[in-house]
Amino acid sequence: MSARRSLPWVSFAASDAKATVPRDAASDEACDGPIDTGRRDLVKLLGAGGLLFVTGPFGIRRLEAAERLVSGAAAAEPWEAHAYITLGEDGIVTLVCHRSEMGQGIRTTMPMILADEMEADWTNCRVVQAVGDEPRYGSQNTDGSTSIRDFLSKYREAGSTVRALLEDAAAKEWGVSASEVKAKNGEVVHLASGRSKSFGALVATARALPMPARERVRIKTKAERRWEGKGITSIDLKPMTTGTAMYAADVVLPGMKVAAIARPAVWGGKVVSVDDSAALKVPGVEKVIRLPDGPMPGAFLPLGGVAVVATNTWAAIKGRDALVVTWDDGPNKGYDSVSYKAALLESVRTPGRAGRTNGDAAAALASASRKVSAEYYVPHLSHAQMEPVAAIARVDGGKVDAWGCTQSPMDTRKTLAEFLKVDVANVTVHVTLLGGGFGRKSKPDYVCEAAWLAREVGAPVRVQWTREDDLRHSYYHSVAAHRLEAALDASGKVTAWLHRSAYPAISATFAPNVPGPEPDELTNGASDIPFDIPNISVEACPAVAMARIGWFRSVNAIHHGFAIGSFVDELARAARQDTGDFLLQLMGSDRQVDLSKAGLVAPASNYGATWGDHPLDTARAKRVVQIVMDKSGWKGAKLPRGRGRGIAIHRSFLSYVAMVVEVEVLPDGTVLVPRATVAVDAGFVANPDRARAQMEGALIMAMSNTLYSEVSFAQGKVVQSNFRDYQVTRMRAAPRVVDVTIVESEGLPGGIGEPGVPPAGGAIANAIFAATGVRVRDLPVAKQLAGWPSRAATEEE
């Protein structure tokens, strides 16, 4: 990233504030249907805030605003056929992506769906990143693995509607029936005569036509699709791999200042006094400004603190280092990870609130002749995305413009409006590329910091978080403890299942003293297990948050998946059965289960979908298990001591993922993962190449979560500070082979971005046991395996 590079489109926006403001969102129509209004505003929107690319014979390049407007001036104004689609008489098709690109390829996949359905010529397509405008585009929260599963149908309908409009236009011009024409790769053809007209040549006629009747809008069949289900190369691949991609820290505005902020080290802490005399002597430092104290719990608002505003990033950071701040650490100054872990484990040893009840698990366990129990622990985790957060804001004449690496421009817009007490219509949020997100960038506290300081300073301000800021002042994945108990009958069949979970709830971010996980959080892989067991009790136990808790890729399915995946392996070994066979038997007969009628306390929670659309389907779960068993050589030759395979499955975000992970454990306890086999059934997959990459990335992230990463607290403060003490998977440790099978399906899509993480933790832990005989129940594995050969020998004796 080049911090001093100026973007043409930013300069353009800065020179014409009026042109940067999109139309009043409240006047827009819902995005579900075609919109033929406000085409001028989309042009302004493209010029003001979008990252604009054109694909041509020489690849993808950035279009400058001036170039675009000049070329457009020669012809009539581009026609906004739909909120997501604009066509020019020059044949250029501009496609809007309203979700954020953080490496998952969504800025390719969503436009690809539009282009496929409308029969556009991909080489004439541009992609523009939408500004935050939920009324116009629909939900823009890029989280929960929802982009395709929530918008596949809407994007298809948008594309097919515009295709029908263009076919109507051609039919009108030729005086023939619409049934006699067909759109194909950027033009419409008269089937009988072979005559054709380009999309651009039809714009003038099409723009005057009414929207086609709903029955005229026909979604393509599988055989007609050109790219859906097959995929195309990411439009961001070249800029990302050549260093020309533009991230938040690359944005430069005229007269911009840079701020670094000293934030309270303890959640809920406040500034008592500040000595800024040394900071103001640092060359380049211009001001020291105290921010408003952060409220508790604070939701998406900043933590407060003291900002050093300077002419450049280095001066701002050095100025911050020179501050002398006295803090009141507040109510969480006693937070300590060692004692909190003990409290969580104590919490799961007594009954909690019901999350799911089938039969009478307590009675079945009490009368069972054979029982197995185990407790598991997962620490706080940091998102640790490669790009620390950054945001730039300008406040001018009551208008607020902000640029940032946000996963949720809609929430950012609302939060900015509330924080600055301005009308939301006066706030524009521009989305840059994200260097990873994983849930951290769905919280716009850092954008609020930039906007508040911009108003105070009277100039644009960039707030730049460092890696240390990111690790010490962020939102963290919940620390969690689990206790599982099960009863086995004489044949090794599980007759009772008890699962107690204790972890701070996500809702603790929004309300004080939340007692622990809500029942709906248990449906993130705990209460919706795909097992055929007559007596089930899944319970939520107390755990009050003492640090900021936030969404993290796969959310609670991470620790649910680790605990459940590990426990199933322990049960299989207790039953003296192969774990793969045991899993298949545990899921019972092929069936679809509507869990809203099967004992769930929070039946409405199914990742936002109905149980009718997405029932628990054991056939799908068993299929992915069977695939990884077959493809991994699960029942092949036994591996030598120090090497082992582990298997696990997890349903999350409406998808089914199974993994077989092979590990090699060195004598010093170092764990290598040379090979993994993954099978995913996510219903229809629009872009298999991106889905495969998501599974590979999920495994590598899960390796970090399982083997290395931990955020711990002492005296309320985060102990770790950077990658030297918060380790993630290094490139040399990445698996050499990841064999991913995507189950082909035309079913309703499930999630892709998150479901690959949860099964990996259990599969790795099980592989470690197979390799060493050492059962890992506390994460991270870290140094627990030091000296394992002698430990294993002792345990075997």
Side-chain angles (χ1 to χ4, degrees), residues 5 38 69 166 172 236 251 718 749:
R5 199 164 16 176
L69 294 176
L166 293 165
K172 180 179 175 64
D236 293 304
V251 175
V718 174

Side-chain angles (χ1 to χ4, degrees), residues 381-382 384 471 670-671 701 703-711 720 722-730 732-733 780 782-783:
L381 296 170
S382 168
L471 276 164
T670 300
V671 180
M701 189 169 194
M703 287 175 59
S704 299
N705 301 343
T706 305
L707 299 174
Y708 317 114
S709 302
E710 176 180 19
V711 170
Q720 293 74 23
N722 207 317
F723 284 152
R724 64 179 174 274
D725 49 12
Y726 185 87
Q727 188 179 338
V728 297
T729 304
R730 303 289 201 264
R732 64 180 173 80
K783 298 180 180 177

Side-chain angles (χ1 to χ4, degrees), residues 66 97 105 151 195 205 211 247 262 288 293 315 335 432 439 465 513 528 553 560 589 663 671 683 695 699 752 769:
C97 177
F151 281 90
R195 290 177 293 174
T205 300
M211 287 294 144
Y247 298 88
V288 174
D293 289 333
Y335 186 31
T432 66
W465 285 47
N513 301 317
D528 56 341
R553 185 184 189 182
H560 290 155
S589 61
V663 304
V671 180
M695 293 300 129
L699 172 61
I752 285 291
F769 184 83

Side-chain angles (χ1 to χ4, degrees), residues 118-120 163 167 182-189 199 226:
M118 69 179 290
E119 277 291 335
R163 184 181 79 234
E167 288 175 344
K182 186 174 184 178
K184 187 175 182 180
N185 198 33
E187 60 183 15
V188 179
V189 179
F199 283 1
R226 293 178 293 166

Side-chain angles (χ1 to χ4, degrees), residues 12 66 97 188 238 261 269 303 352 356 369 395 398 456 495 507-508 729:
F12 170 79
C97 177
V188 179
K238 185 176 179 180
I261 300 173
L303 290 168
R356 178 180 177 184
S369 59
V395 181
E456 292 296 305
T495 57
S507 53
T729 304

Side-chain angles (χ1 to χ4, degrees), residues 8 97 153 175 187 220 274 284 311 317 335 339 352 373 378 387 392 398 464 489 562 591 627 636 642 655 726 753 785:
C97 177
S153 295
E187 60 183 15
K220 283 184 173 181
V274 183
T311 55
I317 293 174
Y335 186 31
S339 58
S373 64
V378 177
E387 177 207 24
I392 302 89
Q464 181 65 57
D489 66 15
F562 165 65
R591 65 199 188 284
I627 289 171
S655 296
Y726 185 87
L785 295 174

